[in-house]
């Protein structure tokens, strides 16, 4: 009882703070259009969302004569692509998931009492063609590629999800039982990595039950665990007549490059028949704690787009770009500038394989002028990722990492930069490859660098959010729980004294500590925090 009373004291204090402020003191509301779950694209279940080249591709269970797909730029407004797989094995198939690797889209689907099959395509829009006979292993297969390029396969089972290492996209190794037991049949697994933790979501009970729900587990070791089931489970559950049977989700980075969203289905009855519909809700994080800002069938803001984004191959070089030659390097640099901390994404490929040694292509960020910028290149001869800082015209190596030898750079590849303070994390095709100490480097322009290749530049973007800072200003549903450390980015707090030792929000005078891999806010008398 004391613990419950303490929680309600916290909520009451927060609500008192929100009501004891004049309108003039409140920050201006974020102007955003809204949407409302469910998103009616017709009867579908088990929605899987792939993000590729800055767009989202939805692959749900659709039944009938094959598997259909939709495409979106904002996760809310979808355009039908029609059928993307009509092979006999795709008719009546369950829970398709698609993963991109080195020019190929791999679709994993399962059939009733018939195991898993793999189909492939050179395009996210298909057509997908069958590559294997049944691989076995129950239903709801999902693939995760770790930072070292190793593949992992998870699927549904009784008394917990099962995991396997894969030797290639078509070969599944021995089974490992993961810590994900919902007391019976457990299905719909999916793994993603974020800031030192692996998150696995999964669902349970029967999909026709109002008790169908989503849970998650966390690992700081790897895709095969050990996993720890979270204390705040379930994270999605609703039993109302008009919004229940919530489950079988997928998780994806939002269009602002920093946030995460969950796609799941709900079940409702129309004219005596059961149908399932798509839902999209925002995820937020506090260390290893994951929360869903929902499950919500009420109006909420549409996902925020990146602060700057374009498909260069589609939009062309306009006045937002400048071509430069610096020390023998060819650069394409954008004119918009980032904030001091930001996330940037670069998608590219080359026209033909290079004939000259040490040809390269890569990304430029924190570009101030021709004598001060950072670049990360792919050495196309050595298959290495190399980071270099240019300071007052001097090129200083920052680090390097190997890339898979099978990578073909005539196919699309992605570099992601998370610049946070004096550090940067560099990902290639979703794999964390470099963690760099940058020193005194602020924001600047972004762009590309290349040498001895004909480049093709595609989706390119930056967002002035990084490391989950977009969680601070997003609107939180009430009633509900709000993480105390998610106070507003600007004019969001008052703390007495000077700069505090704050591991989450540098420069704040607020005191934040890490307890059990979560961030805890400590306020003194007279201090306050403010929330949307």
């Amino acid at each position: 009882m004391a613990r419950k009373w303490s929680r309600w004291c916290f909520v009451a204090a927060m609500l008192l703070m929100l009501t004891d402020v004049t309108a003039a003191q409140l920050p201006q509301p974020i102007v955003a259009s809204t949407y409302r779950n469910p998103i009616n694209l017709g009867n579908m279940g088990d929605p899987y969302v792939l993000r590729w080249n800055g767009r989202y591709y939805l692959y749900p269970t659709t039944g009938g004569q094959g598997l259909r797909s939709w495409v979106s730029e904002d996760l809310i407004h979808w355009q039908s692509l029609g059928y993307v797989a009509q092979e006999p094995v795709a008719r009546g198939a369950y829970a398709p998931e698609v993963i991109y690797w080195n020019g190929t889209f791999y679709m994993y689907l399962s059939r009733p009492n018939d195991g898993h099959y793999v189909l492939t395509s050179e395009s996210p829009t298909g057509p997908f063609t069958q590559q294997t006979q049944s691989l076995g292993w129950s239903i709801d297969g999902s693939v995760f590629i770790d930072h070292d390029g190793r593949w992992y396969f998870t699927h549904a089972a009784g008394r917990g999800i099962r995991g396997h290492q894969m030797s290639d996209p078509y070969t599944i190794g021995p089974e490992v039982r993961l810590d994900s037991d919902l007391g019976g049949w457990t299905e719909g697994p999916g793994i993603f990595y974020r800031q030192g933790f692996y998150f696995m979501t999964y669902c349970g009970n029967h999909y026709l039950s109002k008790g169908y729900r989503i849970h998650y587990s966390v690992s700081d070791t790897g895709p095969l665990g050990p996993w720890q089931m979270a204390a705040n489970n379930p994270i999605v559950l609703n039993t109302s007549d008009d919004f229940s049977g919530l489950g079988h989700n997928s998780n994806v980075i939002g269009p602002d490059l920093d946030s995460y969203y969950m796609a799941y289905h709900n079940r409702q009855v129309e004219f005596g028949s059961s149908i399932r519909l798509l839902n999209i809700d925002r995820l937020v994080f506090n260390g290893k704690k994951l929360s869903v800002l929902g499950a919500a069938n009420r109006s909420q803001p549409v996902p925020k787009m990146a602060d700057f984004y374009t498909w260069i191959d589609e939009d062309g070089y306009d006045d937002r770009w400048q071509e430069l030659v610096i020390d023998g390097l060819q650069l394409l640099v954008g004119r918009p500038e980032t904030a001091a901390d930001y996330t940037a994404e670069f998608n590219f490929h080359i026209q033909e394989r290079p004939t000259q040694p040490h040809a390269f292509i890569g990304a430029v960020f924190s570009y101030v002028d021709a004598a001060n910028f950072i670049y990360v290149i792919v050495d196309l001869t050595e298959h290495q990722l190399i980071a270099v800082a240019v300071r007052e015209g001097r090129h200083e190596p920052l680090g390097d990492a190997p890339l898979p030898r099978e990578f073909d750079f005539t196919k699309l590849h992605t570099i992601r930069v998370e610049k946070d303070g004096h550090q940067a994390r560099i990902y290639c095709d979703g794999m964390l490859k470099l963690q760099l100490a940058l020193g005194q480097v602020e924001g600047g322009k972004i762009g590309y660098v290349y040498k001895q290749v004909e480049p093709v530049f595609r989706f390119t973007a930056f967002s002035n959010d990084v490391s989950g800072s977009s969680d601070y200003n997003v609107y939180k549903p009430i009633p509900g729980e709000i993480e105390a450390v998610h106070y507003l980015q600007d004019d969001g707090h008052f703390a007495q004294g000077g700069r505090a030792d704050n591991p989450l929000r540098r420069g704040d005078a607020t005191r934040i500590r890490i307890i059990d891999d979560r961030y805890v806010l400590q306020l003194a008398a007279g201090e306050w925090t403010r929330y949307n």
Side-chain angles (χ1 to χ4, degrees), residues 88-358:
V89 74
R91 298 171 187 171
Y94 292 162
E97 294 201 4
V98 176
I99 192 165
Y100 174 79
W101 180 258
N102 197 34
T104 300
F105 295 85
Y106 296 88
M107 175 182 283
Y108 295 81
L109 55 80
S110 51
R111 293 175 54 80
N113 303 311
D114 193 23
H116 287 87
Y117 292 79
V118 185
L119 292 72
T120 64
S121 175
E122 294 183 356
S123 167
T125 63
F128 286 86
T129 58
Q130 183 178 344
Q131 301 298 318
T132 70
Q133 296 302 310
S134 175
L135 302 179
W137 303 114
S138 182
I139 61 171
D140 293 355
S142 182
V143 169
F144 173 79
I145 301 175
D146 207 358
H147 307 307
D148 56 6
R150 293 179 181 176
W151 291 45
Y152 294 86
F153 186 78
T154 55
H155 60 84
R159 303 307 300 262
I161 299 300
R162 303 296 195 268
H164 311 249
Q165 188 170 328
M166 305 174 72
S167 56
D168 59 61
Y170 309 110
T171 308
I172 301 172
E175 179 181 276
V176 176
R177 180 174 173 176
L178 308 182
D179 300 312
S180 54
D181 186 356
L182 295 187
W185 182 254
T186 309
E187 62 184 21
I191 296 174
F192 65 97
Y193 173 88
R194 181 187 180 277
Q195 294 186 36
F197 298 108
Y198 298 83
F199 293 86
M200 178 173 63
T201 56
Y202 45 92
C203 52
N205 208 322
H206 196 278
Y207 81 95
L208 294 177
S209 166
K210 285 189 175 182
Y212 201 48
R213 64 204 187 276
I214 300 173
H215 286 229
Y216 77 103
S217 295
V218 184
S219 173
D220 57 7
T221 304
L224 296 183
W227 292 88
Q228 178 184 3
M229 296 181 70
N232 62 316
N233 281 321
I235 51 173
V236 171
L237 174 66
N238 196 305
T239 59
S240 63
D241 289 339
D242 61 345
F243 195 67
S244 62
L246 312 182
H248 201 123
N249 68 291
S250 60
N251 310 290
V252 68
I253 290 175
D256 67 354
L257 311 182
D258 180 66
S259 60
Y260 279 78
Y261 283 83
M262 173 182 285
Y264 60 94
H265 68 240
N266 74 293
R267 172 181 170 266
Q268 62 189 55
V269 177
E270 290 189 357
F271 306 109
S273 298
S274 176
I275 66 169
R276 294 181 293 178
L277 301 173
L278 171 68
N279 300 269
I280 302 287
D281 274 336
R282 175 68 184 265
L283 307 181
V284 293
F285 298 85
N286 179 357
K288 70 176 183 180
K289 181 183 179 183
L290 180 160
S291 303
V292 180
L293 301 186
N297 61 340
R298 54 194 168 196
S299 293
Q300 53 187 311
V302 300
K304 178 180 175 292
M305 303 301 289
D307 292 286
F308 168 77
Y309 66 98
T310 180
W311 286 265
I312 296 178
D313 59 322
E314 301 173 22
D315 301 335
Y317 297 175
D318 53 25
D319 58 4
R320 294 177 296 177
W321 297 98
Q322 182 181 11
E323 294 184 272
L324 303 168
V325 177
I326 301 173
D327 297 335
L329 308 178
Q330 292 177 274
L331 276 71
L332 180 69
V333 177
R335 297 187 187 277
E337 296 190 12
T338 70
D341 296 334
Y342 58 89
T343 304
E345 182 177 306
F346 310 84
N347 292 266
F348 57 88
H349 60 85
I350 57 177
Q351 293 277 24
E352 298 178 351
R353 294 184 180 181
T355 58
Q356 300 294 323
H358 300 296

Side-chain angles (χ1 to χ4, degrees), residues 43-55:
N43 187 12
M44 64 172 64
D46 315 324
Y48 178 81
V49 178
L50 167 73
R51 184 175 181 273
W52 182 79
N53 191 35
R55 293 188 173 99

